[in-house]
Amino acid sequence: MRGGTTIRRSLWRWRRNPLRRREDVLEAWILLVVWFVIAVAGPVAGVLASHAAAHSAAERRVERHPATATLVSDASSNPLSTGTTGGRVDATVRWTAPDGTRHSGRIPVDEGMKAGSRVTVWTDFRNQLTTAPPSATQAGVDAAFMGAASSFAVVAAAAAGYYGARVVLNRRRRAAWAHEWEDVGSQWGRASN
């Protein structure tokens, strides 16, 4: 019996009540929509974002190809160079594309590598240097993170929208109460004279 009382009490905004205001009904409808968005749109956004991230990672794995490049000069650290980070320096490498054309570019390599050393580079469909595609594990983690972040963003936006609407509705309620108190106060003043 206690559960029925709780449900009846939680649905007070839906009952006929002389104290119920339009703002109360509007707030109840907004809350219902927000719960629907949280229950349905949040998970859907998460799944869609996760699939989009996984698809993007799969495309990058298909579009990028490894190539063996040769280091043009010794990879030594130069205090004037700007490409030194954590034991790696930018160095010029050359490679031959599958179509036979020769290319060159700069990539970070381990400091101290000698000219003629072979390194693996990643190229795109135009044979331009690019970063390595994500591994299957990394793509899965990225997809899960994007799904969770998207779902959280939808839930946060819905909650913020509800609380923003509630602030506006509370202002309207307070203004209506103040107006009604003025009416009642003016009637009290007339009755006492």
Side-chain angles (χ1 to χ4, degrees):
M1 184 66 185
R2 186 174 181 194
T5 305
T6 304
I7 291 172
R8 271 189 261 130
R9 196 175 303 141
S10 66
L11 296 175
W12 70 270
R13 289 182 174 105
W14 300 100
R15 294 184 304 169
R16 294 195 182 276
N17 184 336
L19 300 177
R20 183 187 66 191
R21 300 179 182 277
R22 283 182 303 190
E23 289 83 2
D24 298 331
V25 175
L26 185 57
E27 182 182 351
W29 279 106
I30 291 171
L31 185 60
L32 185 66
V33 169
V34 165
W35 278 113
F36 178 78
V37 167
I38 288 172
V40 176
V44 168
V47 168
L48 291 177
S50 177
H51 284 298
H55 180 70
S56 174
E59 281 182 349
R60 282 182 280 162
R61 283 196 301 274
V62 168
E63 292 172 351
R64 297 177 185 183
H65 303 286
T68 302
T70 305
L71 197 60
V72 173
S73 60
D74 291 347
S76 60
S77 72
N78 178 355
L80 300 176
S81 81
T82 58
T84 304
T85 56
R88 295 182 64 84
V89 294
D90 285 346
T92 303
V93 293
R94 289 193 182 132
W95 72 95
T96 303
D99 63 1
T101 59
R102 295 184 59 88
H103 298 275
S104 66
R106 293 184 66 79
I107 63 166
V109 296
D110 292 333
E111 186 176 357
M113 290 183 76
K114 301 293 181 193
S117 297
R118 299 201 179 274
V119 293
T120 300
V121 296
W122 288 89
T123 60
D124 60 14
F125 64 93
R126 295 174 296 182
N127 292 317
Q128 300 294 319
L129 288 175
T130 188
T131 57
S135 66
T137 302
Q138 185 181 8
V141 169
D142 290 347
F145 175 77
M146 288 301 295
S150 297
S151 183
F152 177 75
V154 168
V155 169
Y162 171 71
Y163 284 111
R166 189 166 179 188
V167 165
V168 171
L169 292 171
N170 283 340
R171 283 185 192 153
R172 289 178 60 180
R173 284 185 193 113
R174 280 193 295 273
W177 289 334
H179 180 68
E180 289 172 8
W181 274 111
E182 287 175 9
D183 289 346
V184 170
S186 66
Q187 290 174 5
W188 284 343
R190 276 188 244 138
S192 64
N193 286 337

